Amino acid sequence: MICTYITELVEYSIRNGLVPESDRIYTVNRLIELFGLEEYICPDEVPSPRDLHLILEDMISEALDRGILKSDTTASKDLFDTKIMGLLTPPPSVVISKFSELYENDPKEATDWYYSFSKATNYIRTDRIAKDVKWLSSTRYGDMDITINLSKPEKDPRDIAAAGKAKSTSYPKCLLCPENEGYAGTLSHPARQNHRIIPITLDGDRYYLQYSPYVYYNEHCIILNRDHIPMVINRSTFKKLLGFVEQFPHYTAGSNADLPIVGGSILSHDHFQGGCYEFPMARAEYKYTFSIPGYEELTSGVINWPMSVIRLQGDNIDRICDCAEMILSKWKGYTDEEAFIFSETEGIPHNAITPIARKNRSGRFELDLVLRNNITTDEHPLGVYHPHSKYHHIKKENIGLIEVMGLAILPARLKTEMNILEDALSENKDIKSIEVISKHAGWVDEWKENYDLSSRRKISEALKEEIGKTFALILECAGVFKNDDDFGKFIKRLG
């Protein structure tokens, strides 16, 4: 059967533009070598097209049976099927040339092709992404996007044990380094033979464009610095984000803050995130506007959002960046003890900004500056402006860029817990007595009388609606200003 699978895969690669017809025999021979075949018998009939993951699953089974692949853990299988796809993925020069050619005609045409390419190579594993649970939830701030992330595979204890025995290496230095392109991977570092990145220039510095393999939203991209240098938010950051959306006006781009707790999971490598997606924050209207002395030509204001956000709109990138830099400087040094905002304690800085850039529907540049603070206390050891403990049954992880913009990334455990909750509510069981969902009991008691829970469908809808409302409350926790008066005191400092 392996000959059939090889034929299927080569047909798939030609059909999806990974391999030209002229390279058919060459590609077949590379796969023959990988599987150690002494002969290859081409099937009489070309098999009907199948999803890529099904072909790869069959090839993995063959590799296990033949002893080519020694372990059946997810990590081992991922390393092997990525090696297979690496044989079919064009070299970087070909991918860059194709992207550049398309970009000259239309930036969107270029990213459309690049996104499809990244899925065709299985760098983006669409079969896993499809497992994610997604819905819209209505809140007083507008609809929020809610997702339960199921696409990241869980660590297998066998892989953890094997990785612990393996020789450690500092190459690549992190998951974002350009050196990941084409890297074979290890049990503790994913293979990337099928990964290709696109060079771009932002504010005179060299960056690369790639997609996230986990795509939390449409065309979820990462813009990474060529060099392994720490993240920092400054004027150049604003210039780079606005410069990116100038080059790709159909995309949004943002950066996590540059401090722990309110920053991203990888602060050691300068990078941004973006994509072709309208986040709930982008739909938020101004709650009120104000004029900033010296920047009267900009539209400035606070938006109707659970976090503390100043939005700047204008036509000149440099003027927006000048204003944003001034706001950043004022915020970094801002303290209001009554509002429990401290710029620093014992020499440790606390104030930071999460910036997000886009072009709005009228074609103006738009920069959202989300004010952040990472101070901790005995009552809130994970952060005062962090999901509070009463919401940890839903989410206790940090609020990063994507969630700041209104897309919740909730832990995989919630899918199982929500199913068990549905059973308990439909059968009128005592939630407190069921260990895995007992932490949700008080939360359910707060709202269950407000709904008709006479069917599983209605119970499911109620759970989703309340999870969305809770996510909005979690974002409120992360908002540094709890009322307009406190926010107003800071705004008066601007200019």
Side-chain angles (χ1 to χ4, degrees), residues 271-303:
H271 70 285
F272 316 127
Q273 295 183 74
C276 187
Y277 191 75
E278 185 181 63
F279 287 91
M281 174 186 272
R283 297 191 292 269
E285 302 286 345
Y286 280 115
K287 190 176 182 182
Y288 58 87
T289 59
F290 53 84
S291 179
I292 300 178
Y295 301 96
E296 286 84 1
E297 81 277 17
L298 302 181
T299 302
S300 311
V302 171
I303 64 172

Side-chain angles (χ1 to χ4, degrees), residues 44-292:
D44 294 333
E45 295 184 7
V46 176
S48 299
R50 289 196 295 162
D51 289 343
L52 175 61
H53 73 96
L54 298 176
I55 302 171
L56 292 174
E57 285 169 9
D58 284 340
M59 297 183 89
I60 286 170
S61 295
E62 282 280 346
L64 287 166
D65 291 343
R66 293 169 178 266
I68 299 169
L69 183 58
K70 307 297 183 184
S71 171
D72 66 349
T73 66
T74 298
S76 294
K77 291 189 289 187
D78 283 358
L79 289 172
F80 187 75
D81 68 15
T82 304
K83 184 176 184 178
I84 293 174
M85 293 308 298
L87 298 177
L88 311 172
T89 303
S93 58
V94 172
V95 177
I96 293 168
S97 177
K98 177 70 173 179
F99 183 91
S100 299
E101 177 188 340
L102 294 172
Y103 182 89
E104 287 300 315
N105 182 57
D106 179 12
K108 188 176 186 304
E109 186 180 351
T111 55
D112 284 349
W113 171 82
Y114 182 42
Y115 189 58
S116 295
F117 169 84
S118 298
K119 291 187 289 186
T121 64
N122 208 41
Y123 167 70
I124 296 174
R125 295 176 180 264
T126 54
D127 59 306
R128 292 182 182 173
I129 305 301
K131 297 176 183 177
D132 290 346
V133 180
K134 302 179 180 182
W135 71 90
L136 283 178
S137 190
S138 178
T139 76
R140 66 191 186 95
Y141 302 101
D143 288 343
M144 295 283 185
D145 295 330
I146 311 297
T147 67
I148 297 178
N149 175 38
L150 302 171
S151 56
K152 281 189 178 181
E154 295 185 5
K155 296 281 188 180
D156 189 301
R158 292 172 292 172
D159 290 330
I160 295 172
K165 297 175 183 177
K167 183 180 178 180
S168 61
T169 175
S170 59
Y171 182 90
K173 291 181 179 178
C174 77
L175 292 170
L176 296 179
C177 285
E179 289 78 12
N180 282 280
E181 184 179 40
Y183 183 61
T186 68
L187 289 175
S188 59
H189 192 111
R192 291 289 184 254
Q193 291 106 316
N194 57 349
H195 178 41
R196 300 294 180 263
I197 57 181
I198 305 295
I200 59 174
T201 300
L202 299 174
D203 196 27
D205 291 334
R206 185 72 173 270
Y207 279 75
Y208 290 98
L209 172 67
Q210 67 174 58
Y211 289 108
S212 166
Y214 304 111
V215 287
Y216 293 130
Y217 50 86
N218 185 53
E219 296 181 44
H220 177 187
C221 70
I222 300 173
I223 307 127
L224 55 101
N225 197 308
R226 177 182 63 180
D227 300 319
H228 183 78
I229 58 176
M231 291 186 66
V232 62
I233 302 297
N234 53 27
R235 187 186 190 281
S236 182
T237 307
F238 306 139
K239 186 76 175 284
K240 289 167 181 173
L241 292 174
L242 289 164
F244 179 82
V245 299
E246 184 177 39
Q247 292 181 46
F248 301 95
H250 56 297
Y251 271 23
T252 190
S255 174
N256 273 298
D258 53 359
L259 293 179
I261 298 178
V262 295
S265 57
I266 304 179
L267 291 174
S268 60
H269 194 121
D270 176 37
H271 70 285
F272 316 127
Q273 295 183 74
C276 187
Y277 191 75
E278 185 181 63
F279 287 91
M281 174 186 272
R283 297 191 292 269
E285 302 286 345
Y286 280 115
K287 190 176 182 182
Y288 58 87
T289 59
F290 53 84
S291 179
I292 300 178

